Amino acid sequence: MGRRGEARLNPTGAEAMTKRLLALTLILAGMIGWATKVESAPCGGGVPCACGDQVIADTVLLPTDPVVLGVCPGTALTVGGAITLDLGGQTLRGSLAGRGVSIEHDDVTVSNGVVAGFLDGVKALDYDRIAVHHVTASANRYFGIILRGHDNVVTDSLALDQIGGRGMRIKGQRARFERNRAERNREGYGFNVIGDDAVLRDNAALDNGSDGFHVDGDRVLFEHNEAHRNERHGIVTDDAFGSTLR
């Protein structure tokens, strides 16, 4: 017997208690994971959008849409059709995971809003004829706006304060950047184009962590762009045969 008030567990009892505690921990972890899991559902065309949903019809986000009322744990919205997603002047907020808008179809337009705090603000890989207009991408981990495909365009948009990456990139033929601003993107270029026959017109690159404009492609038109106080060069071109700067 132990002293008064002293409790003893024999090895068998201690082992049983440890197993019970472990089981309880696993149950609680599963409950937390279940509670925070984002279920994807179709939205748009009058159906409100929540974090993780797939937009399948032309949509204007409203202040009452669940996706703009909090912070998304992963991708905010995925575009799954040839549609227009008007952010309605709202802000999509992330937790440095996923994408603000992930485009997974050709012929998509995204406009009029803010995407902040994701891995990438707006992203489309291997889709053509994507248009991004009047979008502000800020404080994302890698790219503010990144498009890969042909005939893609970004206009009247702002890439600001990306944490570890670049402002805007288009990779593909006939890219177009017009009237955009890339500022204080800490670890990379303001604007990056990879592909031939691009047009860069009336853009400004300020205080970025590398080159203001970095372009790899032939027959590129640079017209009325500005680059100030970037960490490296204002404008850098690689293999820019037949290009025009004015």
Side-chain angles (χ1 to χ4, degrees), residues 47-197:
V47 177
C49 292
C51 290
D53 281 357
Q54 184 178 63
V55 188
I56 60 172
D58 289 346
T59 299
V60 180
L61 293 184
L62 300 175
T64 53
D65 278 287
V67 72
V68 305
L69 295 178
V71 177
C72 293
T75 295
L77 295 173
T78 298
V79 178
I83 63 167
T84 295
L85 171 59
D86 185 334
L87 300 176
Q90 311 302 320
T91 298
L92 303 178
R93 297 177 179 86
S95 52
L96 292 183
R99 281 86 196 177
V101 178
S102 180
I103 298 170
E104 298 183 0
H105 204 282
D106 298 330
D107 301 296
V108 170
T109 297
V110 178
S111 65
N112 190 28
V114 179
V115 286
F118 296 91
L119 290 181
D120 302 296
V122 178
K123 187 170 188 176
L125 297 183
D126 300 318
Y127 295 102
D128 301 334
R129 298 174 300 282
I130 306 302
V132 178
H133 304 305
H134 294 283
V135 170
T136 295
S138 67
N140 298 289
R141 178 65 181 87
Y142 297 122
F143 287 91
I145 298 170
I146 176 170
L147 310 177
R148 188 172 72 198
H150 304 313
D151 301 294
N152 292 333
V153 56
V154 180
T155 63
D156 300 296
S157 294
L158 170 64
L160 177 70
D161 289 325
Q162 298 346 295
I163 296 168
R166 298 165 180 169
M168 305 184 191
R169 169 189 277 180
I170 300 179
K171 183 177 182 180
Q173 306 303 306
R174 298 172 299 281
R176 184 155 54 96
F177 281 123
E178 295 194 55
R179 301 179 303 279
N180 302 292
R181 187 180 183 96
E183 186 170 357
R184 299 197 307 270
N185 299 289
R186 300 176 192 174
E187 301 295 333
Y189 314 137
F191 296 91
N192 183 206
V193 174
I194 304 173
D196 300 331
D197 301 299

Side-chain angles (χ1 to χ4, degrees), residues 198-217:
V199 174
L200 294 92
R201 180 181 292 119
D202 296 318
N203 302 288
L206 310 172
D207 299 299
N208 295 291
S210 184
D211 304 320
F213 297 84
H214 193 109
V215 179
D216 183 356

